[in-house]
Amino acid sequence: MLQSLDMKHTPALVIGNWKLNPGTPAEAKLLFSELRKKVSKNCEATVVIAPPFIFIPEVAKTTHSAIALAAQDVHYEERGAVTGEIGAGMLASFGVQYVLIGHSERRALGETDAQVNKKVHAALKRKLVPVVCIGERTRDAQGQFYLDIAAQIKALTSGLTAQQLSKVVIAYEPIWAIGTGLTATAENVREMQLFIVSTITKLFERKVAERVRLIYGGSVKESNAKELYKEGGMNGFLVGGASLQATEFAAIINATELA
Ligand code: PGA
């Protein structure tokens, strides 16, 4: 049905999502500096860390050219009466370059596809790279879950120009694989890569679809990274648990260079 497509034309993108970790600024600083020691300035991959909002200023002080910063969420308003939220302009002013949007753990708290789309627009307006998470809750033998994925893609890309879409990263994160130790097989990832490209092709055109960076997330570890990267056809990883151990995270980055 779909042609194979090699997306390895750009360096890998490897993002560490710290979620609600670690516990203190001192621990965040330590984890970040351990990572800095392990990620060489000549590393080919683009390495990004997404600490909790409150640790961003601390980590930003010690960030170096080989590691960029992401936020784990952003609000679609820039200012106003929205208690507890952080805007894209605020993030940009701290040197943040990427932002995770629509992570399944945010969607589980009620975030809708429409809000995800508004956040993508807000991030792009401030020149932040939106890393938009999509994924199915479960898989059924009939492949109905592909319809959910198509709907998520349609919603997140709504109102974007082709030029804007080329700045977006899509992170395919099957929810059943997040933090569970279950990983999609490289074949599952390859099929999904082809499906996402074909869905974007229908909404835009093939050459636009080919420019969108796709990464995989869900229990990525040193032990599975090389195969997932080599055979899965996506262009990097969104790593949760394993990004809290500098050695393991560095090994995942290396796996993208060796594959
Ligand atoms: P995990 O998390 O690597 O711990 O499965 C991935 C994510 O939630 O982005």
Side-chain angles (χ1 to χ4, degrees):
M1 160 181 73
L2 296 160
Q3 280 170 259
S4 155
L5 178 71
D6 190 4
M7 302 204 63
K8 305 280 169 44
H9 47 275
T10 45
L13 172 64
V14 184
I15 305 178
N17 175 12
W18 286 1
K19 307 192 178 184
L20 190 64
N21 300 290
T24 64
E27 286 169 308
K29 206 168 148 189
L30 183 66
L31 177 57
F32 194 74
S33 66
E34 281 174 6
L35 196 63
R36 274 181 55 171
K37 282 186 222 135
K38 302 226 181 307
V39 178
S40 94
K41 291 213 166 154
N42 309 324
C43 166
E44 258 183 51
T46 303
V47 180
V48 181
I49 293 294
F53 285 133
I54 201 165
F55 296 149
I56 286 176
E58 186 61 50
V59 170
K61 272 191 240 157
T62 51
T63 193
H64 70 154
S65 55
I67 305 180
L69 277 179
Q72 297 176 15
D73 190 19
V74 64
H75 196 260
Y76 46 83
E77 298 290 354
E78 285 267 322
R79 281 157 194 259
V82 270
T83 303
E85 296 293 347
I86 308 270
M90 295 172 182
L91 294 173
S93 71
F94 277 93
V96 170
Q97 291 172 270
Y98 294 76
V99 62
L100 306 184
I101 295 177
H103 190 283
S104 63
E105 289 153 15
R106 307 279 340 150
R107 293 182 192 253
L109 295 174
E111 185 159 292
T112 63
D113 276 339
Q115 288 168 332
V116 167
N117 178 252
K118 282 162 102 174
K119 291 181 176 195
V120 171
H121 283 272
L124 288 169
K125 201 168 146 207
R126 288 294 184 164
K127 300 201 165 16
L128 299 176
V129 177
V131 179
V132 191
C133 305
I134 60 172
E136 75 282 1
R137 190 159 297 285
T138 52
R139 286 193 162 217
D140 57 298
Q142 295 70 38
Q144 287 293 321
F145 62 91
Y146 278 110
L147 298 177
D148 293 343
I149 300 290
Q152 289 172 42
I153 294 170
K154 191 162 182 225
L156 83 89
T157 57
S158 172
L160 295 182
T161 62
Q163 160 77 3
Q164 286 174 314
L165 183 58
S166 69
K167 306 270 188 290
V168 173
V169 176
I170 295 183
Y172 168 58
E173 295 210 302
I175 299 169
W176 49 268
I178 296 178
T180 57
L182 299 171
T183 324
T185 63
E187 197 187 349
N188 295 154
V189 176
R190 166 63 75 171
E191 281 166 5
M192 191 53 81
Q193 179 238 333
L194 294 170
F195 180 76
I196 295 171
V197 172
S198 107
T199 304
I200 301 175
T201 300
K202 283 187 200 133
L203 295 167
F204 291 80
E205 55 181 293
R206 179 81 177 191
K207 70 175 196 300
V208 177
E210 286 175 6
R211 282 211 300 266
V212 180
R213 289 180 105 182
L214 304 182
I215 61 176
Y216 168 77
S219 297
V220 178
K221 308 185 264 286
E222 175 179 5
S223 57
N224 57 25
K226 193 167 167 193
E227 194 193 343
L228 282 170
Y229 187 72
K230 197 162 168 227
E231 313 292 339
M234 293 206 185
N235 203 209
F237 296 120
L238 178 52
V239 185
S243 71
L244 297 171
Q245 291 145 23
T247 311
E248 178 90 9
F249 189 58
I252 293 170
I253 298 164
N254 285 341
T256 66
E257 302 195 351
L258 301 173

